[in-house]
Amino acid sequence: MTETRAAGATWSGNHRYRATEVQLPADLDELAEVVASADSLRVQATRHTFNDIADAESALVSLERLPVRVEIDGDRARVEGLVTFAELAPVLEAEGRALHNLGSLPHISVAGATATGTHGSGIGNGNLSSAVRAVELMDADGRTHRIDQEHEWFGAAALSLGALGVVTALELQTEPTYEVTQQAYTGVAWDDIVSDIEGVLGGSRSVSVFTTWGDPEHDLVWAKSDIGAPSWVEELGGRPVGDDIHLGRIRTVDNTTPRGTAGPWHTRLPHFRADALPSDGDEIQSEYFVPLVDAREALAAVRALSAAFDDQLLVTELRTVAADELWLSPAYRRDVLAIHFTWRNDTDGVLAALPAIEQALAPFDVRPHWGKAFTLPGERIRATLPRVDDFLAIAGEADPRGVFRNDYLRRTLSL
Ligand SMILES: Cc1cc2nc3c(=O)[nH]c(=O)nc-3n(C[C@H](O)[C@H](O)[C@H](O)COP(=O)(O)OP(=O)(O)OC[C@H]3O[C@@H](n4cnc5c(N)ncnc54)[C@H](O)[C@@H]3O)c2cc1C
C-alpha cells in the first residue's frame, strides 16, 4: 500500500503547500494506481521552487521511494526516479562523461530542474532541459510513453512544468569529462561590465556577474573556465576575492565550491557545494529573461528603479542562456540574459516590488523563470511564447482529465 507523508513547504518555506499529503508509491505499479485514481495531482521533487507550481488541490506524489537508476550508454545517460545532480554527476564523472552545464546548486532533482528550464550560465550553453534527448512520461491513465526527439510531444515534454504527467525517467546528452578552474573577482567597474556585457558574460565557459545595483564593493565577476584560470578578468581590473566571499548581502559560510584550482566540471560549475546549505536559505528568488541583444537597455531600465527594491534585495546575479527549441523555454529561439534576484524572505514586500521590475522589462518581451516568484499576468507571458497553443494542445491530449492542472497552470497558461 502506498505510504503518505505531510506535504510541508518549499525549501525556503516561502510557500506552504495547500495539498495536505504526499503519496509515496514504492514502484511504478503503485505510481500508476496513484495517478489513475487521482482527480488532482502534482509531483513534488526536491522543492527548490519559490511559488505554487508544484501544488495541487488535494494530493502530491513523490518518487522518493522509487528505485534510483543511472545507466550510461555511449553519449547518453538515462536517469530514473528522483535523481539529483549531486547523485548523477559523480556517476557520469566515473565513466569519463559530463553534462554541458549545471545550475548554481547540485541539490535539485533532474526531473524538477528540467521541468522548469533551470539553467547555469555561458553564452553557448543552453539550459539543463536542452540536454534532454528523451522523456519517459506516465500519463493520467497510468500509461508510460517514451517521447524522443522525433515524437510530436517532444517540444512540450522536455520542459513541461509537470503539466503532461509524471516524468519517470529522462535521457540526457553527455560529453567527455572536462576540468574547470574558477575564480571570483571584485574591482571590475559596472560601466565596463555593461558596455561589453556579451564579452564579459562570454569570457569563459560560464560567467556570472553579482551586483546590488549601486555599491561597487558588492559587484563580483565569477568566471568558470575550461581552458585554465580565467585571468582575462584581471585585465578588466578584477582582483581575486579571498576565502570570505560575499554574494551581495549574502555572506557565504563555507558552502561554495573551490576557487583557484582545477577540478572536475561538477565540482566547479555549481557555486554551492553539494554537502552544504546553498545560498542564504531564508530567501525568495525571482528571475527574468530578456533577449541578450537588449541586455544594455534592460539593465539600465532595472538599475533606474533599483532604489525602490533595495530594501528587499540580497543580491542580483546576471547570467546567459543559449537559445533552444523547447516551446515553454525562457530561451525559446532567443539567446537570453537572465536577471536574477535573491530577495529577503518577505512575501508581501517581494510581491510589491516585482510589478515595477516587470513593467521596466516589458518592452523586452520579458519571460519569467517558471520556478521563481513573479506577478506577470498569464496573457503577457503567453504573448512571448509563439508555440504556447501547441503546448496546450499536447497537454490536453496527454492529460484529458486535467489531473496535472493546478491554479498555477490556470493562471499562467490558461490551462
Ligand atoms: C538555492 C537555490 C538556488 C537555485 N539556483 C538556480 C539556478 O542556478 N538556476 C535556475 O534556473 N534555477 C535555480 N533555482 C531554482 C530551482 O532549481 C528550479 O526552480 C527547479 O525547478 C527546482 O526543482 P525541484 O525539483 O527542486 O523543485 P520542485 O518544486 O519539487 O519541482 C519543480 C517542478 O517540476 C515538477 N516536477 C518535478 N519532478 C517531476 C516529475 N518527475 N514529473 C513531472 N513533474 C515533475 C514539479 O511538479 C514542479 O512543477 C534555485 C533554487 C534554489 C532554492
Side-chain angles (χ1 to χ4, degrees):
M1 180 173 144
T2 298
E3 294 179 9
T4 62
R5 64 163 166 75
T10 52
W11 169 83
S12 77
N14 77 308
H15 176 77
R16 180 149 286 281
Y17 295 102
R18 284 187 300 275
T20 47
E21 65 174 25
V22 183
Q23 308 264 345
L24 305 173
D27 56 35
L28 289 174
D29 290 339
E30 279 191 15
L31 176 64
E33 275 170 40
V34 167
V35 170
S37 62
D39 294 326
S40 158
L41 193 72
R42 296 284 293 169
V43 182
Q44 185 187 74
T46 39
R47 302 177 296 106
H48 283 63
T49 42
F50 293 90
N51 58 36
D52 57 346
I53 186 171
D55 214 343
E57 270 76 52
S58 47
L60 308 179
V61 65
S62 167
L63 308 189
E64 67 200 48
R65 288 182 64 229
L66 263 72
V68 166
R69 282 193 199 99
V70 177
E71 295 159 64
I72 300 169
D73 183 9
D75 64 357
R76 295 282 175 94
R78 179 179 177 278
V79 300
E80 188 180 329
L82 184 65
V83 180
T84 64
F85 290 97
E87 291 161 341
L88 170 61
V91 180
L92 289 177
E93 174 63 16
E95 295 293 320
R97 305 301 298 174
L99 296 173
H100 73 291
N101 208 353
L102 287 170
S104 68
L105 76 176
H107 311 61
I108 50 179
S109 72
V110 178
T114 54
T116 64
T118 296
H119 62 94
S121 193
I123 292 274
N125 290 330
N127 59 32
L128 302 178
S129 320
S130 72
V132 173
R133 292 293 174 267
V135 181
E136 288 170 41
L137 181 80
M138 185 178 284
D139 70 17
D141 292 328
R143 287 183 311 226
T144 300
H145 309 253
R146 182 176 180 278
I147 301 161
D148 63 14
Q149 289 174 289
E150 309 306 315
H151 195 290
E152 60 175 334
W153 291 4
F154 186 80
L159 194 172
S160 70
L161 311 186
L164 307 190
V166 182
V167 174
T168 54
L170 286 160
E171 289 170 30
L172 303 174
Q173 180 71 45
T174 68
E175 58 186 79
T177 186
Y178 53 91
E179 289 207 325
V180 171
T181 307
Q182 61 173 342
Q183 192 50 273
Y185 301 86
T186 54
V188 185
W190 177 255
D191 288 347
D192 290 340
I193 292 171
V194 175
S195 65
D196 184 19
I197 188 78
E198 293 185 21
V200 170
L201 290 170
S204 288
R205 184 180 182 111
S206 171
V207 180
S208 295
V209 169
F210 288 87
T211 184
T212 50
W213 302 95
D215 180 355
E217 287 297 305
H218 282 143
D219 289 352
L220 271 189
V221 176
W222 191 334
K224 299 165 190 271
S225 165
D226 52 6
I227 49 165
S231 45
W232 57 270
V233 191
E234 289 175 32
E235 287 158 29
L236 294 173
R239 298 182 305 276
V241 295
D243 290 341
D244 189 18
I245 182 172
H246 294 237
L247 300 177
R249 294 159 186 153
I250 301 173
R251 181 169 183 190
T252 65
V253 187
D254 191 24
N255 62 353
T256 53
T257 49
R259 297 184 299 280
T261 54
W265 58 283
H266 65 99
T267 63
R268 301 295 188 273
L269 285 178
H271 303 325
F272 301 107
R273 285 201 324 267
D275 63 350
L277 177 82
S279 194
D280 182 79
D282 192 16
E283 67 193 64
I284 297 174
Q285 299 183 9
S286 303
E287 192 165 32
Y288 298 100
F289 301 86
V290 295
L292 188 56
V293 290
D294 294 326
R296 263 169 292 279
E297 291 90 315
L299 290 172
V302 176
R303 196 173 169 96
L305 48 87
S306 57
F309 60 69
D310 187 60
D311 278 356
Q312 299 298 332
L313 185 73
L314 290 174
V315 73
T316 277
E317 181 178 5
L318 307 177
R319 289 178 284 182
T320 48
V321 188
D324 62 49
E325 290 290 327
L326 305 176
W327 301 343
L328 293 190
S329 174
Y332 179 71
R333 295 210 166 159
R334 304 176 172 159
D335 293 332
V336 289
L337 173 74
I339 309 176
H340 163 94
F341 303 84
T342 303
W343 305 110
R344 298 185 194 286
N345 197 354
D346 165 11
T347 299
D348 292 344
V350 171
L351 293 181
L354 295 182
I357 297 171
E358 293 165 356
Q359 198 54 41
L361 294 175
F364 312 106
D365 279 346
V366 60
R367 295 168 177 162
H369 191 306
W370 295 110
K372 301 184 181 181
F374 60 89
T375 62
L376 277 166
E379 64 268 21
R380 282 206 12 228
I381 302 171
R382 293 195 296 280
T384 72
L385 296 166
R387 299 291 301 269
V388 70
D389 287 342
D390 295 317
F391 182 92
L392 298 179
I394 301 294
E397 262 181 68
D399 181 18
R401 292 196 292 120
V403 171
F404 296 101
R405 290 170 211 170
N406 64 0
D407 282 352
Y408 172 97
L409 293 173
R410 281 186 277 277
R411 206 167 64 237
T412 56
L413 296 183
S414 216
L415 187 62

